[in-house]
Amino acid sequence: MFRSKNGTKIQDKDYRKHYAKTVKRLTIVAERNEVADELAAWLSDECRDTDAFGLFVDNEYGPEMSELAGSITLSELGELTDRFEDVFAGHWDSENDYTENAIADGAFGDLGDDVLTNYIDTQSLTRDLFKGGDMYSLPSRLSPGIFAFHNC
């Protein structure tokens, strides 16, 4: 007969089962710690906006960021961070501000300082982008403005 750390008696015949459960539990804890460490390292990059990532995770997964390390694997974390980098379009004062900047950057063709830019209804284009499903925005929790995301 053996005793566990908490003093529970373990019969000889049940020791293998107890040992297997303990190893499995320790493996899960180690994986969670590895995910947490990897997430912390990824978020520590000064170019990343942790507020935007937190909102993105809440929108995609539902749980708060503090629960993320316990609910996904390391490979899922890699997929999630890659997806965030693919869809994140930045922090803007408004959805309309994002659209105006996208026009100036040539996202809708090379209009530049062309006379045609005077005829673009940016409010309608913004409405089409964000209400039509191509983009979505989430209000920033820490600063004024919104975070824009591609919906792909």
Side-chain angles (χ1 to χ4, degrees), residues 67-82:
E67 299 172 14
L68 184 63
S71 60
I72 66 172
T73 64
L74 199 56
S75 65
E76 289 172 329
L77 176 64
E79 292 170 11
L80 181 65
T81 55
D82 288 347

Side-chain angles (χ1 to χ4, degrees), residues 89-90 92-103 107-108 126 129-130 135 146 148 150:
W92 304 94
D93 291 334
S94 66
E95 292 174 346
N96 196 55
D97 189 38
Y98 167 80
T99 304
E100 289 173 355
N101 189 66
I103 291 169
F108 303 101
T126 300
L129 282 174
F130 287 91
M135 304 280 298
I146 58 106
H150 298 279

